[in-house]
Amino acid sequence: EKAGFDHFMMKEIYDQPKAYRDTIGSRISEAGDSVILDEISMTADQIRNIRNIQIVACGTAYHAGLVGKSVIEKLARIPVETDVASEYRYRSPIITPETLVIVVSQSGETADTLAALREAKRNGARVLAITNVVGSSVSREADDVIVTWAGPEIAVASTKAYTTQLMAFYLLGLFLAQTLETVEPAEIRHTLAAMQSLPEQVESILARGEEIQAYAEQIAPKEHLFFIGRGIDYAVALEGSLKLKEISYIHSEAYPAGELKHGTLALIEDDVPVIALGLQSDLQEKTVSNVKEVTARGGKVLGIAYEGDAEFAKSVDQTFSIPRTLDVLSPALTVIPLQLLSYYASLARGNDVDKPRNLAKSVTVE
Ligand code: F6R
């Protein structure tokens, strides 16, 4: 059932083009000009009454929620907070009937996420679930459900569940935007078209897996690594770092690029590997300055940037390029090399890729 791959994780990484297609497929109108989310029973009036959104999840799903926050705020102009589920309940969150709570869970059974959902409902909020398991506890208890059609995810390290959660957030953000008329119809059409190109673009990245394998073998003996980025690149950096820790056991940290010099730069010395994400065009110049702070101290930077981006490539030691897309959609592409990196680093270190030590696929204790 690994379909010829050595590990479930690799199979699931390769499942992604299809998973993207399955998740967005029927939810884009034939004319390509609007999002259809028939599964959502919220009326237009109810949508107009949403005052704030709280996204609650754990681990990788939380990282998808961080991208979701940027996407919804940018497209629908509704204020969004994203919380780790095990923290959410204990901070007395301000939940009102005008609050939409979005819980994100691959399994739909994560104890803390489920408890957060119940807390939100007790306080009168409407709950929307993004989950990969039809019939899961989360899907049964939420008011509305957007199913991610990733198919079963077996490897402990989440890959296709994360990227299809991103697809769900893009669809939801555009759906809210078309209802609230916060985005011009032409931009909606343009964004949907760019989304439909993502599966092919993922395929083209997967075809260059060897470049990442070579880099993974280079960093496999290291004990520490940093990921830096700004805006949603930082959200992807967090996910790349979690994935690497989880299966390769290499310690890594993700930092907002501008924050390094407030302490962490002290850890950068000769040959410390740093992965810099530079996909947000409005922030790239600033990220380049942060890359220079690293290289000036001997850090070795792998830059992830759009193909043909000579400016960024010049500032780093080596580059992995990804095909051009809209900046807001870039997480759906940049995370792919980071998934491959953690896979190959884990492999190079002789770890059990699919079953990392100390971890369970579904966490049903709080
Ligand atoms: C990391 C990973 C975990 C899960 C987290 C939430 O690769 O898989 O961080 O994302 O345990 O699980 P779900 O999404 O099932 O609620």
Side-chain angles (χ1 to χ4, degrees), residues 103-161:
V103 294
V104 190
S105 176
Q106 187 283 128
S107 62
E109 303 297 345
T110 300
D112 280 309
T113 308
L114 193 55
L117 177 161
R118 290 176 179 157
E119 173 79 3
K121 287 193 77 173
R122 243 194 318 276
N123 284 282
R126 199 180 171 89
V127 177
L128 167 73
I130 297 176
T131 181
N132 196 39
V133 180
V134 178
S136 59
S137 303
V138 158
S139 81
R140 279 185 277 113
E141 296 190 30
D143 298 296
D144 290 303
V145 181
I146 299 179
V147 174
T148 51
W149 296 109
E153 193 181 64
I154 311 290
V156 166
S158 178
T159 52
K160 60 180 181 171

Side-chain angles (χ1 to χ4, degrees), residues 287-351:
T287 306
V288 167
S289 318
N290 305 131
V291 165
K292 286 180 183 155
E293 294 163 359
V294 168
T295 51
R297 285 155 186 93
K300 288 281 167 293
V301 181
L302 170 74
I304 300 192
Y306 290 125
E307 53 199 16
D309 190 342
E311 212 33 56
F312 197 72
K314 256 200 329 226
S315 70
V316 298
D317 298 289
Q318 38 184 324
T319 318
F320 184 84
S321 64
I322 65 158
R324 288 240 167 228
T325 184
L326 300 178
D327 291 354
V328 70
L329 301 181
S330 64
L333 299 180
T334 36
V335 76
I336 307 289
L338 303 185
Q339 294 170 345
L340 290 169
L341 173 64
S342 62
Y343 175 85
Y344 285 122
S346 175
L347 204 63
R349 293 180 135 219
N351 299 347

